[in-house]
mmCIF file of all heavy atoms in Angstrom:
data_model
loop_
_atom_site.group_PDB
_atom_site.id
_atom_site.type_symbol
_atom_site.label_atom_id
_atom_site.label_comp_id
_atom_site.label_asym_id
_atom_site.label_seq_id
_atom_site.Cartn_x
_atom_site.Cartn_y
_atom_site.Cartn_z
ATOM 1 N N THR H 45 24.331 -14.379 32.949
ATOM 2 C CA THR H 45 23.651 -13.578 31.887
ATOM 3 C C THR H 45 22.514 -12.787 32.449
ATOM 4 O O THR H 45 22.183 -11.728 31.938
ATOM 5 C CB THR H 45 23.123 -14.462 30.739
ATOM 6 O OG1 THR H 45 22.211 -15.385 31.228
ATOM 7 C CG2 THR H 45 24.247 -15.145 30.015
ATOM 8 N N SER H 46 21.849 -13.286 33.491
ATOM 9 C CA SER H 46 20.726 -12.566 34.036
ATOM 10 C C SER H 46 21.136 -11.474 35.031
ATOM 11 O O SER H 46 20.351 -10.657 35.422
ATOM 12 C CB SER H 46 19.749 -13.564 34.737
ATOM 13 O OG SER H 46 20.444 -14.156 35.855
ATOM 14 N N ALA H 54 20.383 -1.286 38.936
ATOM 15 C CA ALA H 54 19.352 -2.174 38.507
ATOM 16 C C ALA H 54 18.221 -1.494 37.771
ATOM 17 O O ALA H 54 17.551 -2.079 36.916
ATOM 18 C CB ALA H 54 18.791 -2.959 39.727
ATOM 19 N N THR H 56 18.419 0.885 35.516
ATOM 20 C CA THR H 56 18.728 1.257 34.131
ATOM 21 C C THR H 56 19.075 0.031 33.253
ATOM 22 O O THR H 56 19.409 0.199 32.112
ATOM 23 C CB THR H 56 19.933 2.217 34.053
ATOM 24 O OG1 THR H 56 21.076 1.580 34.602
ATOM 25 C CG2 THR H 56 19.608 3.490 34.779
ATOM 26 N N GLN H 57 18.993 -1.136 33.805
ATOM 27 C CA GLN H 57 19.343 -2.342 33.111
ATOM 28 C C GLN H 57 18.227 -2.734 32.111
ATOM 29 O O GLN H 57 17.058 -2.763 32.431
ATOM 30 C CB GLN H 57 19.563 -3.510 34.078
ATOM 31 C CG GLN H 57 19.955 -4.812 33.417
ATOM 32 C CD GLN H 57 21.279 -4.785 32.777
ATOM 33 O OE1 GLN H 57 22.101 -3.982 33.133
ATOM 34 N NE2 GLN H 57 21.482 -5.610 31.786
ATOM 35 N N VAL H 58 18.643 -2.998 30.862
ATOM 36 C CA VAL H 58 17.694 -3.486 29.869
ATOM 37 C C VAL H 58 18.253 -4.818 29.320
ATOM 38 O O VAL H 58 19.449 -5.001 29.258
ATOM 39 C CB VAL H 58 17.485 -2.459 28.701
ATOM 40 C CG1 VAL H 58 16.813 -1.239 29.229
ATOM 41 C CG2 VAL H 58 18.788 -2.101 28.048
ATOM 42 N N SER H 59 17.349 -5.643 28.906
ATOM 43 C CA SER H 59 17.793 -6.929 28.408
ATOM 44 C C SER H 59 18.039 -6.867 26.890
ATOM 45 O O SER H 59 17.510 -5.953 26.232
ATOM 46 C CB SER H 59 16.784 -8.018 28.743
ATOM 47 O OG SER H 59 15.629 -7.817 27.957
ATOM 48 N N ARG H 60 18.755 -7.749 26.390
ATOM 49 C CA ARG H 60 18.976 -7.852 24.930
ATOM 50 C C ARG H 60 17.672 -8.061 24.182
ATOM 51 O O ARG H 60 17.438 -7.493 23.126
ATOM 52 C CB ARG H 60 19.969 -8.948 24.685
ATOM 53 C CG ARG H 60 20.324 -9.172 23.231
ATOM 54 C CD ARG H 60 21.438 -10.163 23.042
ATOM 55 N NE ARG H 60 21.600 -10.639 21.716
ATOM 56 C CZ ARG H 60 22.209 -9.941 20.722
ATOM 57 N NH1 ARG H 60 22.718 -8.798 21.012
ATOM 58 N NH2 ARG H 60 22.359 -10.470 19.538
ATOM 59 N N LYS H 61 16.821 -8.910 24.770
ATOM 60 C CA LYS H 61 15.534 -9.203 24.151
ATOM 61 C C LYS H 61 14.650 -7.985 24.028
ATOM 62 O O LYS H 61 14.008 -7.740 23.001
ATOM 63 C CB LYS H 61 14.762 -10.301 24.904
ATOM 64 C CG LYS H 61 15.385 -11.669 24.734
ATOM 65 C CD LYS H 61 14.606 -12.715 25.517
ATOM 66 C CE LYS H 61 15.251 -14.085 25.394
ATOM 67 N NZ LYS H 61 14.507 -15.083 26.101
ATOM 68 N N SER H 62 14.665 -7.125 25.104
ATOM 69 C CA SER H 62 13.899 -5.917 25.050
ATOM 70 C C SER H 62 14.423 -4.947 24.005
ATOM 71 O O SER H 62 13.695 -4.263 23.319
ATOM 72 C CB SER H 62 13.761 -5.244 26.416
ATOM 73 O OG SER H 62 15.001 -4.729 26.811
ATOM 74 N N LEU H 63 15.773 -4.911 23.894
ATOM 75 C CA LEU H 63 16.358 -4.033 22.865
ATOM 76 C C LEU H 63 15.996 -4.516 21.470
ATOM 77 O O LEU H 63 15.724 -3.717 20.564
ATOM 78 C CB LEU H 63 17.855 -3.954 23.077
ATOM 79 C CG LEU H 63 18.373 -3.183 24.317
ATOM 80 C CD1 LEU H 63 19.860 -3.309 24.446
ATOM 81 C CD2 LEU H 63 17.897 -1.761 24.245
ATOM 82 N N LEU H 64 16.090 -5.830 21.290
ATOM 83 C CA LEU H 64 15.708 -6.388 19.978
ATOM 84 C C LEU H 64 14.227 -6.099 19.642
ATOM 85 O O LEU H 64 13.905 -5.830 18.506
ATOM 86 C CB LEU H 64 16.003 -7.894 19.913
ATOM 87 C CG LEU H 64 17.516 -8.263 19.884
ATOM 88 C CD1 LEU H 64 17.631 -9.788 19.982
ATOM 89 C CD2 LEU H 64 18.179 -7.737 18.651
ATOM 90 N N ALA H 65 13.367 -6.227 20.657
ATOM 91 C CA ALA H 65 11.968 -5.940 20.425
ATOM 92 C C ALA H 65 11.780 -4.464 20.071
ATOM 93 O O ALA H 65 10.989 -4.114 19.202
ATOM 94 C CB ALA H 65 11.144 -6.277 21.686
ATOM 95 N N ASP H 66 12.541 -3.587 20.756
ATOM 96 C CA ASP H 66 12.459 -2.160 20.464
ATOM 97 C C ASP H 66 12.887 -1.906 19.024
ATOM 98 O O ASP H 66 12.287 -1.119 18.282
ATOM 99 C CB ASP H 66 13.306 -1.330 21.425
ATOM 100 C CG ASP H 66 12.664 -1.204 22.785
ATOM 101 O OD1 ASP H 66 11.455 -1.486 22.894
ATOM 102 O OD2 ASP H 66 13.379 -0.816 23.747
#
Side-chain angles (χ1 to χ4, degrees):
T45 59
S46 64
T56 61
Q57 180 65 26
V58 295
S59 69
R60 179 174 168 79
K61 289 181 182 180
S62 69
L63 290 176
L64 289 174
D66 286 345

